[in-house]
């Protein structure tokens, strides 16, 4: 069950897996009725680590909160046995682990610009020596954090009683390192002779390690001053030593250990800013090949680049674009084509992209068009004008793939999110609400079987049949939007953010 | 709490501060670990201090780094070589921290200690340490392990050696790319200690695996191993095993791998010998010089002279020179700049006639390059060509290039060319300098940018040194002294600066007859800044001129200044007066 790859599963002849039955698992920071959400508490980033044992969220107040998995972490007995005997009832459960202030609001005096503390993205790095490592970024600055349990240590015995050393009756006042203020440095110099057996009256401080531990988050490195525009993505390379950061016009490559220089690998800034037609919206490294990365643009294209080809990768290796349907062009065409997020599948074969209206799944070996597209917001098409007026049309929804690559998910308005089956022939399409009762708004009409268009037999369009009017007749609430979500890397478990609350579901 | 005798008080505090809350104090204590060890004596150092330090590996990186360094030279403090093994545990735990620089320092120290240990101790304690690290749960330990195999391997039993080799081979196939990278970059070092029978059978297999790694980042470190391994192998093995790999790498898909080849090719040629260089590596090098990626061409162009030195002139002219011609008009300025920085060195290799025929046109075109760095690089190496063909052939193109650089709008470019003026002057000779460069040198004294004016003043001093005081008296001093009436006080100040630099070179007589009157005149300037600079300058002239001049002229001038309305002028004047009194007192 562990990260089976998409190719084998989608090529399976035994038909699509059954639809999942989603259940509520947990909520952190649930809003009580009538409680007003503080702006700083709104979650702005969610990320599971590679093992799925940890989850991190970032918020607009610049904080990072870590959660750890509780259900499979029985250190005593054999974990595998427990999993096998108990498998059916087990689903990932998390508990609060720690939190820390990652970013603070800043002011750029040279540009007269306020820099928000809001966490735009979090990415986990390779753990080492039992400590967790992660990267967090706001608009301008990336930080590398180490979170470690430290045993509390107390020093119990010293040569000099600190209380006496303070008092006036004690020997002459001391400066640092035991040099008496009134004596020359030479006092402890090498010609000071110690008896051959040492001085027995001296002792080393005795350190008592208590069983108590506390978690300490320390900022190890700060990668700053490399972005003129707002950072929208960071992504680790599979080589374990580099990562990229992308802003509107550039992608930079960093070494985790070197914070004072980065290499610009993509630069789409035109010489004349008036010629600017397209910006970078998201970028991600290939999960296996350290030389490949993909970035998406506001024009709806995804570019795959191979860093082996040249140092400055302004020319892409592959371009994934869906040809515009003739005659359908309107004022909104370009706005809604903008891709807000891309994600590689775990095996690196597929790229999932989210634009305002749809989710699209691309096979990186097929650049003629997506292998599947899923209608998420088709019912909003008549209301694009309103959405433009209230700026909702610029909302950036994230998307995610399940670890086995069989399903994809993305968020929507009214705290709804949608899960689609991505394997061939699957008709699975669920709409869930981020609440304790996720099925409340489940639309009764099942999604119709896929309707192929053109010659692409594998292209499926699903979900568009969902009625525009919502199940309970209410209009969509554009102020409550579910932008951020993440799928557990190995299990069918989803974490999603509704304002300040983190909801977790399993199936 | 023990109360310590007063004489021991400082050392007691030093020990206590190993655990102070202030990192600076901890750091200071760690830096003086040898003092602490001597105070405790060898036995307690072994039994108490070292275990204490082993427990300390959760301290700040700076402290750990200092600790790793100190422990490397700690053998005398624990009782000599036979106790060296007690130092291994604290260093082992430092080898597992995630901060690379701490690990590297700990490895350095481990290597130092391991190379001094007795063979039995090596087997009993060092080899198990290597094995523990290599089997470490976290990648940091396994990365560290790769760096000390070469120490452990020497002096091992055959059984252990076999085990170590197979452990290393496992590290070469580790899941973590970081570990494979460490294995790749240390393979050459390890191979130097391995017996030649196993070199082909085992080490080369590991090498082959690494060269085929999926990860770019691993393969490119394997390139570095090529040269090191090649030197260990017999020439025929090297040709059979290493050469195909190099040729393959030089056509690798990844530009970073090709870049590494371009950087290393020179050493690789040495490894495979001249015949294969001719038949296989010259074509490979030519490909790299014509690579699509500018970074690769930069690396290749920078090695062109070194590479030509390995070839005979005919081959160089036949194969390399056409590429050099292309590179001299490369689209990337950095490629041209890299080429310009080494191309002058080809002149001695090709000899006079070929240089004039082939290289001269390239020099001339690079001297006219639009990018200042390219021109500067050519000018900086002028002496190498001068020895071969003389400067005359170049001088016509040289002058416009120099003038243009001298007036470049970027002050750093102007600064760079000023630095080369003494070199140019010595190569071009006095005559050329007088005609062409003299005026420029004066012009720089009035540059808008302070750094340029300062460099120009310094340049005058170096010219005076080069051509002697007499020449300077004729060609520099009058022009400089003319400037003293410049309406801009900053320019007048530059005259003072130039005088202070040139006076020691020009000697007492000229200083008294030419400089001193000007300086005394300047002491009546209306700008206080000039006046206190006069005071400072006079102070610097005291050791140069005769005592009589000091007493007659300088002291009077300073006394006047010391009554100036401006406080700073008075301050510096008094300081100078004090220094006169000081020297007088010392003499009397």
């Amino acid at each position: 069950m562990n990260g089976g790859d998409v190719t084998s599963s989608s090529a399976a002849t035994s038909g699509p897996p059954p639809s999942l039955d989603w259940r509520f698992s947990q909520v952190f920071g649930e809003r009580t009725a009538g409680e007003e959400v503080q702006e700083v508490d709104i979650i702005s980033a969610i990320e599971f680590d590679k093992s799925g044992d940890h989850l991190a969220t970032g918020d607009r107040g610049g904080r990072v909160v870590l959660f750890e998995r509780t259900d499979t972490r029985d250190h005593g007995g054999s974990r595998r046995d427990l999993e096998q005997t108990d498998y059916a009832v087990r689903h990932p459960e998390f508990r609060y682990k720690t939190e820390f202030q990652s970013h603070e609001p800043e002011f750029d005096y040279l540009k007269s610009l306020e820099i928000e503390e809001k966490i735009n993205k979090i990415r986990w790095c390779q753990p080492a020596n039992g400590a967790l490592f992660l990267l967090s970024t706001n608009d301008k600055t990336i930080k590398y954090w180490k979170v470690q349990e430290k045993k509390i240590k107390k020093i119990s015995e010293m040569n000099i009683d600190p209380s006496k050393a303070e008092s006036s009756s004690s020997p002459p006042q001391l400066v640092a390192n035991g040099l008496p203020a009134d004596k020359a440095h030479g006092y402890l110099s090498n010609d000071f002779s110690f008896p051959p057996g040492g001085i027995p009256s001296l002792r080393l401080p005795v350190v008592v390690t208590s069983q108590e531990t506390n978690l300490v988050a320390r900022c190890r490195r700060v990668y700053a001053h490399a972005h003129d525009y707002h950072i929208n993505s960071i992504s680790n390379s599979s080589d374990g030593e580099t990562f990229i950061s992308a802003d509107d016009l550039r992608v930079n490559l960093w070494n985790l250990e070197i914070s004072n220089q980065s290499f610009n690998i993509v630069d789409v800034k035109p010489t004349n800013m008036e010629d600017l037609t397209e910006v970078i919206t998201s970028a991600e490294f290939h999960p296996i090949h350290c030389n490949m990365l993909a970035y998406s643009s506001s024009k709806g294209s995804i570019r795959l680049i191979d860093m082996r080809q040249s140092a400055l990768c302004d020319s892409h290796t592959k371009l994934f674009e869906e040809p515009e349907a003739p005659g359908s062009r309107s004022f909104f065409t370009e706005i809604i084509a903008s891709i807000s997020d891309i994600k590689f599948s775990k095996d690196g074969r597929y790229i999932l992209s989210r634009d305002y209206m749809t989710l699209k799944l691309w096979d990186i070996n097929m650049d003629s068009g997506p292998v599947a597209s899923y209608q998420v917001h088709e019912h909003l098409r008549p209301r694009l004008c309103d959405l433009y007026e209230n700026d909702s049309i610029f909302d950036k929804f994230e998307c995610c793939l399940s670890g086995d690559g069989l399903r994809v998910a993305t968020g929507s308005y009214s705290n709804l999110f949608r899960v689609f089956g991505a394997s061939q022939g699957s008709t699975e399409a669920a709409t869930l609400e981020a609440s304790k009762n996720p099925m409340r708004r489940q639309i009764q009409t099942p999604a119709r079987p896929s309707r192929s268009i053109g010659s692409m037999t594998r292209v499926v369009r699903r979900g568009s049949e969902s009625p525009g009017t919502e199940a309970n007749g209410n209009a969509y609430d554009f102020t409550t939007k579910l932008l951020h979500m993440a799928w557990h890397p190995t299990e069918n478990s989803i974490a999603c953010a509704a304002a300040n609350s983190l909801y977790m579901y399993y199936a | 709490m023990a109360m310590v005798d007063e004489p021991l008080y400082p050392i007691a505090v030093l020990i206590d501060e190993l655990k102070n809350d202030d990192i600076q104090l901890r750091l200071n204590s760690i830096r003086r670990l040898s003092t602490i060890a001597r105070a405790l004596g060898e036995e307690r150092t072994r039994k108490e201090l070292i275990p204490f330090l082993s427990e300390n590996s959760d301290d700040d990186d700076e402290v750990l780094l200092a600790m790793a360094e100190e422990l490397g030279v700690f053998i005398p403090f624990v009782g000599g070589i036979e106790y060296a093994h007690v130092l291994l545990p604290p260093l082992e735990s430092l080898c597992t921290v995630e901060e690379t620089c701490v690990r590297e320092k700990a490895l350095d120290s481990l290597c130092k200690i391991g190379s001094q240990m007795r063979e039995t101790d090596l087997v009993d304690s060092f080899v198990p340490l290597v094995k523990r690290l290599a089997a470490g749960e976290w990648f940091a330990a396994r990365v560290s392990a790769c760096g000390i195999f070469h120490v452990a391997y020497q002096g091992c039993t055959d059984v252990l050696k076999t085990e170590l080799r197979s452990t290393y081979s496992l590290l070469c196939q580790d899941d973590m790319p970081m570990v494979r990278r460490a294995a790749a970059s240390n393979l050459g070092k390890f191979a130097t200690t391995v017996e030649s029978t196993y070199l082909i059978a085992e080490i080369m297999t590991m090498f082959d695996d690494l060269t085929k790694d999926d990860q770019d980042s691993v393969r490119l470190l394997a390139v570095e191993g090529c040269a090191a391994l090649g030197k260990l192998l017999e020439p025929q093995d090297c040709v059979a095993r290493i050469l195909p790999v190099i040729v393959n790498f030089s056509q690798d898909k990844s530009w970073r791998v090709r870049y590494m080849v371009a950087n290393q090719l020179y050493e690789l040629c040495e490894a495979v010998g001249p015949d294969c260089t001719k038949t296989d590596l010259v074509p490979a090098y030519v490909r790299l010089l014509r690579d699509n990626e500018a970074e690769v061409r930069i690396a290749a162009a920078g090695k062109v002279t070194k590479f030509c030195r390995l070839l005979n002139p005919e081959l160089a002219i036949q194969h390399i020179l056409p590429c050099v011609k292309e590179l001299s008009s490369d689209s990337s300025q950095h490629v041209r700049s890299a080429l310009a920085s080494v191309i002058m060195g080809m002149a001695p290799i090709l000899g006079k006639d070929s240089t004039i025929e082939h290289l001269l046109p390239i020099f001339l075109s690079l001297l006219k390059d639009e990018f200042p760095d390219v021109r500067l690089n050519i000018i900086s190496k002028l002496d190498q060509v001068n020895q071969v063909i003389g400067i005359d052939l170049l001088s016509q193109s040289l002058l416009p290039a120099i003038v243009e650089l001298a007036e470049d709008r970027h002050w750093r470019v102007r600064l760079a060319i000023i630095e080369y003026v003494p070199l140019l002057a010595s190569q071009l000779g006095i005559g050329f300098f007088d005609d062409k460069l003299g005026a420029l040198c004066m012009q720089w004294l009035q540059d808008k940018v302070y750094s340029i004016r300062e460099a120009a003043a310094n340049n005058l001093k170096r010219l005076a040194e080069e051509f002697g005081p007499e020449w300077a008296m004729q060609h520099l001093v009058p022009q400089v002294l003319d400037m003293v009436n410049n309406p801009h006080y900053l320019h007048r100040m530059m005259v003072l600066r130039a005088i202070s630099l040139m006076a020691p070179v020009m000697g007492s007589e000229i200083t008294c007859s030419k400089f001193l009157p000007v300086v005394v005149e300047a002491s009546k300037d209306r700008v206080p800044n000039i006046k206190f600079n006069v005071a400072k300058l006079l102070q610097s002239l005291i050791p140069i001129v005769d005592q009589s001049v000091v007493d007659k002229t300088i002291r009077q001038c300073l006394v006047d200044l010391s009554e100036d309305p401006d406080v700073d002028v008075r301050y510096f004047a008094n300081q100078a007066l004090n220094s006169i009194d000081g020297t007088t007192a010392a003499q009397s």
Side-chain angles (χ1 to χ4, degrees), chain A residues 222-399:
Chain A
V222 178
Y223 314 89
H225 312 300
H227 285 279
D228 288 335
Y229 306 92
H230 289 181
I231 298 174
N232 53 46
S233 323
I234 45 178
S235 175
N236 304 85
S237 166
S238 58
D239 67 10
E241 68 170 353
T242 55
F243 70 94
I244 48 165
S245 57
D247 68 20
D248 294 344
L249 297 177
R250 295 191 180 98
V251 179
N252 291 336
L253 179 71
W254 301 83
N255 186 312
L256 275 169
E257 296 195 345
I258 301 165
S259 57
N260 58 3
Q261 65 172 356
S262 67
F263 295 94
N264 178 236
I265 49 172
V266 177
D267 187 348
V268 300
K269 189 180 175 187
T271 35
N272 184 359
M273 275 301 263
E274 278 163 22
D275 300 335
L276 183 70
T277 55
E278 189 173 16
V279 297
I280 299 168
T281 53
S282 165
E284 193 173 52
F285 254 118
H286 190 280
I288 295 161
H289 299 299
C290 67
N291 53 294
M292 286 220 282
L293 62 98
Y295 67 90
S296 62
S297 82
S298 58
K299 272 191 164 173
S301 46
I302 302 167
R303 287 177 174 83
L304 193 67
I305 61 175
D306 184 348
M307 295 200 296
R308 290 182 299 190
Q309 279 182 341
S310 68
L312 191 63
C313 304
D314 283 343
S315 59
H316 51 262
T317 311
K318 271 187 181 160
L319 174 69
F320 303 94
E321 249 178 348
E322 192 161 41
E324 203 179 299
S328 65
R329 215 182 149 74
S330 75
F331 174 73
F332 303 110
T333 309
E334 239 177 58
I335 300 173
I336 60 173
S338 177
I339 293 176
S340 52
D341 191 25
I342 53 169
K343 292 274 160 63
F344 272 101
S345 65
K346 207 171 176 183
D347 61 354
R349 168 84 189 271
Y350 296 94
I351 297 173
L352 181 68
S353 71
R354 169 73 208 257
D355 56 45
Y356 193 66
M357 304 302 274
T358 63
L359 261 182
K360 291 189 177 106
L361 191 66
W362 307 77
D363 185 334
I364 63 166
N365 299 321
M366 184 174 109
D367 51 9
S368 54
V371 286
S373 62
Y374 311 94
Q375 305 298 332
V376 182
H377 279 167
E378 193 55 33
H379 52 277
L380 295 178
R381 199 173 281 279
R383 301 186 57 187
L384 287 177
C385 235
D386 300 341
L387 292 162
Y388 181 76
E389 296 273 300
N390 64 16
D391 275 352
S392 294
I393 202 166
F394 300 107
D395 285 337
K396 290 184 177 304
F397 293 96
E398 287 178 3
C399 58

Side-chain angles (χ1 to χ4, degrees), chain B residues 507-570:
Chain B
S508 159
E509 196 183 320
I510 293 176
T511 304
C512 293
S513 63
K514 291 287 173 185
F515 292 155
L516 211 49
V518 175
V519 177
V520 171
E521 194 55 38
S523 74
K524 302 185 183 85
D525 203 285
R526 62 196 155 78
V527 179
N529 286 33
I530 300 282
K531 286 189 282 190
F532 75 68
N533 272 297
V534 166
K536 283 199 229 172
L537 170 57
L538 286 175
Q539 187 178 354
S540 75
L541 292 182
I542 293 167
I544 298 167
V545 299
D546 290 341
Q547 187 61 35
S548 61
V549 181
V550 174
D551 291 335
K552 210 169 65 194
T553 323
I554 295 186
R555 184 186 292 276
Q556 186 51 50
C557 183
L558 286 172
V559 169
D560 292 347
L561 287 173
S562 69
E563 285 151 16
D564 196 88
D566 187 275
V567 60
D568 289 325
V569 177
R570 288 199 305 276

Side-chain angles (χ1 to χ4, degrees), chain B residues 353-411:
Chain B
D353 294 340
S354 304
T355 300
I356 293 175
E357 191 188 336
H358 300 292
L359 287 179
L360 194 60
I362 299 175
F363 295 157
L364 295 178
S365 91
L366 288 173
L367 265 179
K368 294 187 191 105
D369 200 282
E370 56 176 354
F371 186 55
D373 269 11
V374 179
R375 284 172 271 153
L376 274 174
N377 283 345
I378 288 285
I379 287 170
S380 68
K381 299 281 165 60
L382 216 51
D383 47 333
Q384 290 172 334
V385 178
N386 198 12
Q387 291 154 12
V388 183
I389 58 166
I391 206 86
D392 298 344
L393 286 165
L394 272 181
S395 56
Q396 281 208 322
S397 302
L398 213 45
L399 191 69
I402 295 169
V403 171
E404 209 177 306
L405 288 168
E407 289 162 357
D408 196 281
R409 64 195 176 87
H410 295 291
W411 67 268

